[in-house]
Amino acid sequence: MIAAPPDPAVLAGLATTRPGPAGASFLRTGLHARRLLLLKTLLVRVRRHREAVAPAVLRGFEAGWLLFERAERARPDVVRAALDYPTTGTWLATALTEPPGAGLDGHLAHLELLAVAAALRAGLPLDLVVEASGGVIPLPGLGRVEVGGAGPVRIDARARSVRIVGGDGTGSRAVLRRHARGSGRTLTGSGPGWHGLCALPGGVTRLEDLDPYRLPPGMGMPARAAADRADTDLAGWAGSWTAARGLLRATDRARAFEVGRSVDAVVPLVPLGTRSIGATLGAAPGAILMTPAAGAPDMVETLVHELHHSKLATLHELVPLHRTHPPDRAPPTYRVGWRRDLRPVASVLQGAYAHLALADLWHRAGRVGRASGVPRQWRIHSARQFDHIHDQVVEALAILLESDELTNEGREFVRQMRKHLASLSSGRRALA
């Protein structure tokens, strides 16, 4: 993905899992470059095979592309945010792997809606008609409009307001209000059929329970389902988020800042049983999928763990850390302490990195004083968890360093991970 590896100091900093501006900037810049590349790849694919795309879909795709260009000239920051939003990555990955036909046409139609959402945030005037597939107009990063049936929908955007009305004047008559102040990233809405995304308290993270690309179908074993708005306890999520952010700030302010800045969306999952579950999608860095948490410590651990899966997936796209195994041979697998099944080297690295981040968190939580406001029960729990996971991470790092599947950058990355874990081990002390 990149012509040369990053500054060794940046790679070493990322290996420690500790938050830092240089590492965050490297990942953000690389993610955006990759999104631009994927979007251009989709454009080239459509132009090369335009005869296989339905004419109406092709017109909408080209209109969406032109609208994106208009929005970028007016507010490049808003367009960048739209392209880098997690569900945009899932949409691109899905569209680029879908064979020509009705399925691909449906994915291509999403580009115009993505461009409309960006244009609305950018403050552009609009007067256009879009098709409501399945009676829904999704506006990525903003919300969705339920129009009551398939057909044309008119979007009329003026200086301070946006009206979204069914083509025959019936059904939805949603109104969005544009605000003169702010970054242009959000609008407020009302009216029949309008459902806006909810921002979690204290930052820009959104509770993403509306976007059609927030979770591919059939993910996980057993398959997981994304909770829709009707299944989402908005007040419960807001309360859990507030409690978790408070606990994380008291434990590790740098990590609390990183979570607030790097987690763009929390995607609620429908619970299966009583056990809390977290997940990430490689195509959607910045989104954390999770079931409702069993208390603040549970949410804190899920956020930190899953965020580091996301960070490592992005880093590997930019700087390959391990080699791709030949498709004609089964890859070697290894046993790690946190899984019952055997794992390939890529999964060993992912697990070791996420658990190193938790070990760092637990190490700090176990050492903070009583005056920090961190509950004693959380400090005791963290000290025990650190002891439990420490040796498992040591063993996983040894497996990785003995493997011949790592690249030179990957081997140095793992050495830096081992060095950081050793620094945590040397400072261990009993909880007072």
Side-chain angles (χ1 to χ4, degrees), residues 244-270:
R245 289 290 305 279
L247 179 59
L248 190 52
R249 274 195 305 271
T251 305
D252 189 339
R253 294 189 69 86
R255 286 205 184 278
F257 179 80
E258 180 183 45
V259 166
R261 179 180 173 82
S262 302
V263 179
D264 297 314
V266 171
V267 178
L269 298 176
V270 176

Side-chain angles (χ1 to χ4, degrees), residues 86-92 94-95 103 106-108 110 138 140 208 210-216 281 284:
T87 58
T88 302
T90 312
W91 164 68
L92 282 167
T94 304
H107 298 312
L108 294 179
H110 188 73
E208 180 55 89
L210 297 174
D211 195 291
Y213 289 96
R214 65 192 184 276
L215 177 65
L281 301 172

Side-chain angles (χ1 to χ4, degrees), residues 32 35-36 39 68 78-85 88-89 114:
H32 185 63
R35 289 287 167 84
L36 290 174
L39 188 62
F68 252 136
V78 169
V79 171
R80 177 169 182 155
L83 289 178
D84 294 354
Y85 191 61
T88 302
L114 184 63

Side-chain angles (χ1 to χ4, degrees), residues 87-330:
T87 58
T88 302
T90 312
W91 164 68
L92 282 167
T94 304
L96 286 168
T97 55
E98 183 76 20
L104 177 59
D105 284 358
H107 298 312
L108 294 179
H110 188 73
L111 175 73
E112 188 173 20
L113 301 176
L114 184 63
V116 166
L120 294 180
R121 286 199 292 260
L124 296 184
L126 294 177
D127 187 0
L128 75 164
V129 174
V130 298
E131 288 295 318
S133 175
V136 176
I137 298 290
L139 296 173
L142 294 176
R144 74 181 178 205
V145 183
E146 296 176 357
V147 296
V153 175
R154 183 182 179 191
I155 301 175
D156 181 13
R158 307 292 176 89
R160 295 186 179 180
S161 66
V162 181
R163 296 185 181 275
I164 304 175
V165 184
D168 59 0
T170 64
S172 170
R173 300 184 67 86
V175 176
L176 307 183
R177 299 292 181 188
R178 285 169 158 168
H179 301 283
R181 293 182 297 174
S183 65
R185 288 172 60 93
T186 60
L187 295 86
T188 57
S190 61
W194 169 251
H195 301 277
L197 283 181
C198 296
L200 291 169
V204 298
T205 305
R206 281 156 279 193
L207 190 66
E208 180 55 89
D209 56 353
L210 297 174
D211 195 291
Y213 289 96
R214 65 192 184 276
L215 177 65
M219 175 185 165
M221 292 293 290
R224 293 282 161 185
D228 206 349
R229 175 56 54 88
D231 308 313
T232 306
D233 177 6
L234 299 178
W237 279 99
S240 296
W241 176 261
T242 299
R245 289 290 305 279
L247 179 59
L248 190 52
R249 274 195 305 271
T251 305
D252 189 339
R253 294 189 69 86
R255 286 205 184 278
F257 179 80
E258 180 183 45
V259 166
R261 179 180 173 82
S262 302
V263 179
D264 297 314
V266 171
V267 178
L269 298 176
V270 176
L272 286 178
T274 58
R275 181 166 167 260
S276 298
I277 296 294
T280 53
L281 301 172
I288 294 182
L289 298 77
M290 59 189 301
T291 56
D298 182 50
M299 180 174 265
V300 165
E301 291 173 8
T302 300
L303 290 170
V304 171
H305 185 272
E306 299 301 335
L307 175 58
H308 283 79
H309 281 316
S310 227
K311 286 169 62 176
L312 190 64
T314 302
L315 177 62
H316 178 65
E317 290 284 355
L318 304 173
V319 184
L321 302 175
H322 52 81
R323 300 178 182 87
T324 302
H325 200 74
D328 58 336
R329 287 188 292 133

Side-chain angles (χ1 to χ4, degrees), residues 53-61 112 131:
V53 180
V57 172
L58 185 60
R59 287 194 297 271
F61 183 88
E112 188 173 20
E131 288 295 318

